[in-house]
Amino acid sequence: CVFVDAAQGSCTPGVAGCLSSNSSGHTLPEGLRGPAKAAGWGNFTCFAPAWLYERRAAYLRVYRGDELIEKAYSTGLSTTFAGDPVLDPQHNHNGPSKGSALVSVVGSGFGLNDLSLRVRIGDKVCEASEWSSDTAVQCKIPRKPVGGNKQVDLVLSVSPYRKAELPLGFNYDGPKINGVSRLEDPACNSTTANCTIVSNGPSLGGETVTLTGTQFMTFDLSPRGTVGGTGCEASVWASDTSVFCKLPSGAGVQKSGTIIVADDEAEVTQAFSYDRPSPRNGSGLMSTRGGAVVNATGADF
């Protein structure tokens, strides 16, 4: 088999300026060398050169020894170029919303050597794409656009003419919240002392609690927190793993905590409890007939 660039017309292989490749020639990349493989009396398989992926079409010339027995155009009915890339729909293609993470794009037909592949996630090209093998490419994923969909199309291009598409084939991981906690002693400096961390607070609210987790983003997107279904009096982004919340007033135990980052929401159940009422003493004149006024004091009423 000899492949000739169709853009150069019917140039003669071996002549200077004629882009051609012999499927058994040692000028090909090592992974593409080898003779044509007969699959039967009427068909056989040729190893295609890498440059073929960069062109829309080529002539294919088939020789028996020095005898030309077939000449076909790549778009002709007598020749089929197999091996278009395919993305594996069973593989879980996903990554963090903040982007810049290296994920594996899995499939087949990515090339037996590096063909400078490009991967697109949604409307954005990967920050970097690195060919690993015929079945895997490493992609440094772009950040999810604010307000964008969590599930987007995945496209891999071997060349302008050979690409694989997987509709809604990539999922951005949203935020995950692990817990709601606070310093038992607000005056304790956690950077210089061993402070006690608790998951309860006063029913009057007003104290600062921390929502901890992952994927809160690496910059401030004005996240919003809730405790027990009530919005924090104020929410302040601290890092990709923590958001400060001014505790709203409430009552009850094992309340849920929620974090909303842009349009993504995550919840953790049974994360926080409000302190129970704690009476200390009472005063007043009491009568067996009732009707007396008693003054009870304590906390968390």
Side-chain angles (χ1 to χ4, degrees):
C1 298
V2 175
F3 296 91
V4 182
D5 185 7
Q8 300 184 27
S10 56
C11 65
T12 303
V15 175
C18 182
L19 179 57
S20 63
S21 298
N22 188 320
S23 65
S24 59
H26 292 287
T27 58
L28 291 178
E30 184 175 355
L32 298 176
R33 295 176 190 169
K37 179 181 179 182
W41 287 104
N43 58 82
F44 56 89
T45 301
C46 296
F47 291 91
W51 58 259
L52 187 66
Y53 286 90
E54 301 170 358
R55 287 160 175 78
R56 186 180 298 275
Y59 288 106
L60 168 63
R61 297 177 180 180
V62 181
Y63 291 84
R64 183 188 296 116
D66 294 330
E67 178 189 1
L68 176 64
I69 61 174
E70 178 71 20
K71 177 181 177 181
Y73 197 56
S74 66
T75 55
L77 297 178
S78 60
T79 307
T80 300
F81 286 100
D84 280 347
V86 176
L87 292 167
D88 185 357
Q90 303 302 318
H91 183 76
N92 186 20
H93 294 104
N94 68 294
S97 296
K98 64 182 179 180
S100 296
L102 204 61
V103 301
S104 293
V105 178
V106 176
S108 60
F110 297 170
L112 298 179
N113 61 334
D114 188 357
L115 299 175
S116 300
L117 309 180
R118 293 204 310 167
V119 179
R120 177 166 57 83
I121 295 176
D123 295 329
K124 292 189 174 183
V125 176
C126 286
E127 297 175 13
S129 298
E130 182 178 345
W131 175 85
S132 298
S133 68
D134 186 53
T135 59
V137 173
Q138 300 299 312
C139 163
K140 190 175 183 181
I141 65 173
R143 188 178 70 222
K144 173 181 171 291
V146 177
N149 294 326
K150 292 179 64 176
Q151 194 172 24
V152 295
D153 296 342
L154 178 63
V155 179
L156 179 142
S157 299
V158 176
S159 76
Y161 314 115
R162 297 183 181 275
K163 64 181 180 180
E165 299 184 42
L166 196 59
L168 303 181
F170 187 89
N171 287 281
Y172 277 108
D173 299 331
K176 179 181 179 181
I177 181 170
N178 297 327
V180 181
S181 61
R182 69 178 181 90
L183 295 175
E184 186 175 42
D185 179 6
C188 181
N189 186 343
S190 60
T191 61
T192 59
N194 293 323
C195 301
T196 302
I197 306 297
V198 295
S199 295
N200 64 285
S203 58
L204 288 177
E207 293 198 7
T208 298
V209 297
T210 303
L211 310 179
T212 56
T214 58
Q215 305 298 329
F216 295 170
M217 299 301 283
T218 54
F219 58 99
D220 188 1
L221 283 178
S222 301
R224 305 185 306 279
T226 71
V227 176
T230 303
C232 299
E233 295 180 14
S235 298
V236 178
W237 174 85
S239 70
D240 185 48
T241 59
S242 60
V243 169
F244 297 135
C245 161
K246 188 174 182 181
L247 185 67
S249 60
V253 298
Q254 295 186 335
K255 296 293 184 177
S256 64
T258 301
I259 185 73
I260 303 172
V261 181
D263 55 345
D264 296 329
E265 181 175 338
E267 181 183 28
V268 58
T269 59
Q270 301 180 358
F272 190 85
S273 296
Y274 284 99
D275 295 337
R276 299 177 185 274
S278 177
R280 285 193 287 270
N281 55 57
S283 63
L285 297 176
M286 291 181 287
S287 169
T288 57
R289 291 179 297 178
V293 176
V294 177
N295 181 29
T297 60
D300 293 304
F301 291 166

